[in-house]
Short mmCIF file of all heavy atoms in Angstrom, two decimals:
data_model
loop_
_atom_site.label_atom_id
_atom_site.label_comp_id
_atom_site.label_asym_id
_atom_site.label_seq_id
_atom_site.Cartn_x
_atom_site.Cartn_y
_atom_site.Cartn_z
N LEU L 53 -8.38 -78.50 -6.52
CA LEU L 53 -7.78 -77.19 -6.40
C LEU L 53 -6.88 -76.90 -7.62
O LEU L 53 -6.91 -75.82 -8.20
CB LEU L 53 -6.97 -77.08 -5.12
CG LEU L 53 -6.26 -75.71 -4.95
CD1 LEU L 53 -7.27 -74.63 -4.68
CD2 LEU L 53 -5.20 -75.79 -3.87
N ASP L 54 -6.08 -77.92 -8.02
CA ASP L 54 -5.18 -77.72 -9.14
C ASP L 54 -5.95 -77.33 -10.38
O ASP L 54 -5.59 -76.38 -11.09
CB ASP L 54 -4.41 -78.99 -9.41
CG ASP L 54 -3.33 -79.26 -8.35
OD1 ASP L 54 -3.54 -78.94 -7.20
OD2 ASP L 54 -2.25 -79.80 -8.72
N VAL L 57 -7.32 -73.68 -10.09
CA VAL L 57 -6.34 -72.60 -10.23
C VAL L 57 -5.91 -72.49 -11.70
O VAL L 57 -5.82 -71.37 -12.25
CB VAL L 57 -5.13 -72.79 -9.30
CG1 VAL L 57 -4.06 -71.74 -9.54
CG2 VAL L 57 -5.59 -72.77 -7.85
N ARG L 58 -5.68 -73.64 -12.34
CA ARG L 58 -5.25 -73.61 -13.75
C ARG L 58 -6.36 -73.04 -14.64
O ARG L 58 -6.06 -72.23 -15.56
CB ARG L 58 -4.83 -75.01 -14.22
CG ARG L 58 -3.55 -75.47 -13.59
CD ARG L 58 -2.95 -76.74 -14.20
NE ARG L 58 -1.81 -77.20 -13.44
CZ ARG L 58 -0.55 -76.70 -13.54
NH1 ARG L 58 -0.31 -75.75 -14.43
NH2 ARG L 58 0.41 -77.17 -12.78
N GLU L 89 -5.98 -72.72 3.79
CA GLU L 89 -4.93 -73.78 3.76
C GLU L 89 -4.58 -74.18 2.33
O GLU L 89 -3.60 -74.88 2.11
CB GLU L 89 -5.33 -74.98 4.63
CG GLU L 89 -6.64 -75.59 4.23
CD GLU L 89 -7.81 -75.06 5.09
OE1 GLU L 89 -7.86 -73.85 5.39
OE2 GLU L 89 -8.67 -75.88 5.45
N ASP L 90 -5.38 -73.74 1.36
CA ASP L 90 -5.03 -73.97 -0.07
C ASP L 90 -3.93 -73.02 -0.53
O ASP L 90 -3.46 -73.15 -1.70
CB ASP L 90 -6.27 -73.79 -0.96
CG ASP L 90 -7.28 -74.90 -0.79
OD1 ASP L 90 -6.92 -76.01 -0.32
OD2 ASP L 90 -8.46 -74.66 -1.14
N TRP L 91 -3.55 -72.07 0.30
CA TRP L 91 -2.66 -71.01 -0.13
C TRP L 91 -1.34 -71.52 -0.70
O TRP L 91 -0.90 -71.11 -1.77
CB TRP L 91 -2.40 -70.07 1.08
CG TRP L 91 -1.62 -68.82 0.77
CD1 TRP L 91 -2.01 -67.75 0.04
CD2 TRP L 91 -0.29 -68.53 1.21
NE1 TRP L 91 -1.00 -66.81 0.00
CE2 TRP L 91 0.04 -67.26 0.69
CE3 TRP L 91 0.64 -69.24 1.98
CZ2 TRP L 91 1.28 -66.67 0.94
CZ3 TRP L 91 1.87 -68.63 2.23
CH2 TRP L 91 2.19 -67.38 1.71
N ALA L 92 -0.69 -72.45 0.03
CA ALA L 92 0.64 -72.92 -0.37
C ALA L 92 0.55 -73.65 -1.71
O ALA L 92 1.37 -73.43 -2.61
CB ALA L 92 1.23 -73.84 0.69
N ARG L 93 -0.46 -74.52 -1.85
CA ARG L 93 -0.58 -75.26 -3.09
C ARG L 93 -0.98 -74.29 -4.25
O ARG L 93 -0.47 -74.45 -5.37
CB ARG L 93 -1.66 -76.36 -2.95
CG ARG L 93 -1.88 -77.19 -4.21
CD ARG L 93 -0.63 -77.93 -4.63
NE ARG L 93 -0.79 -78.62 -5.93
CZ ARG L 93 0.17 -78.86 -6.78
NH1 ARG L 93 1.43 -78.53 -6.52
NH2 ARG L 93 -0.09 -79.49 -7.92
N MET L 94 -1.86 -73.36 -3.95
CA MET L 94 -2.18 -72.37 -5.00
C MET L 94 -0.93 -71.67 -5.47
O MET L 94 -0.76 -71.44 -6.68
CB MET L 94 -3.18 -71.32 -4.47
CG MET L 94 -3.56 -70.30 -5.55
SD MET L 94 -4.39 -68.83 -4.92
CE MET L 94 -3.10 -68.05 -3.92
N ASN L 95 -0.07 -71.27 -4.52
CA ASN L 95 1.19 -70.62 -4.91
C ASN L 95 2.01 -71.44 -5.88
O ASN L 95 2.61 -70.90 -6.82
CB ASN L 95 2.01 -70.29 -3.66
CG ASN L 95 1.52 -69.07 -2.93
OD1 ASN L 95 0.75 -68.27 -3.49
ND2 ASN L 95 1.94 -68.89 -1.70
N GLU L 96 2.07 -72.74 -5.61
CA GLU L 96 2.87 -73.62 -6.52
C GLU L 96 2.35 -73.61 -7.95
O GLU L 96 3.08 -73.47 -8.91
CB GLU L 96 2.87 -75.06 -5.98
CG GLU L 96 3.65 -75.24 -4.68
CD GLU L 96 3.57 -76.70 -4.17
OE1 GLU L 96 3.10 -77.56 -4.94
OE2 GLU L 96 3.99 -76.94 -3.03
N ILE L 97 1.00 -73.77 -8.05
CA ILE L 97 0.44 -73.82 -9.40
C ILE L 97 0.51 -72.44 -10.04
O ILE L 97 0.84 -72.30 -11.24
CB ILE L 97 -1.05 -74.29 -9.32
CG1 ILE L 97 -1.15 -75.55 -8.47
CG2 ILE L 97 -1.61 -74.48 -10.70
CD1 ILE L 97 -2.55 -75.90 -8.08
N TYR L 98 0.23 -71.44 -9.27
CA TYR L 98 0.26 -70.03 -9.75
C TYR L 98 1.67 -69.72 -10.30
O TYR L 98 1.80 -69.17 -11.40
CB TYR L 98 -0.09 -69.15 -8.57
CG TYR L 98 -0.24 -67.66 -8.82
CD1 TYR L 98 -1.49 -67.10 -9.04
CD2 TYR L 98 0.85 -66.81 -8.75
CE1 TYR L 98 -1.66 -65.73 -9.20
CE2 TYR L 98 0.72 -65.45 -8.94
CZ TYR L 98 -0.55 -64.92 -9.16
OH TYR L 98 -0.69 -63.55 -9.33
#
Side-chain angles (χ1 to χ4, degrees):
Chain L
L53 178 71
D54 287 34
V57 175
R58 289 190 188 278
E89 57 265 41
D90 289 339
W91 186 69
R93 180 62 187 152
M94 180 193 68
N95 280 345
E96 291 179 10
I97 310 167
Y98 185 97

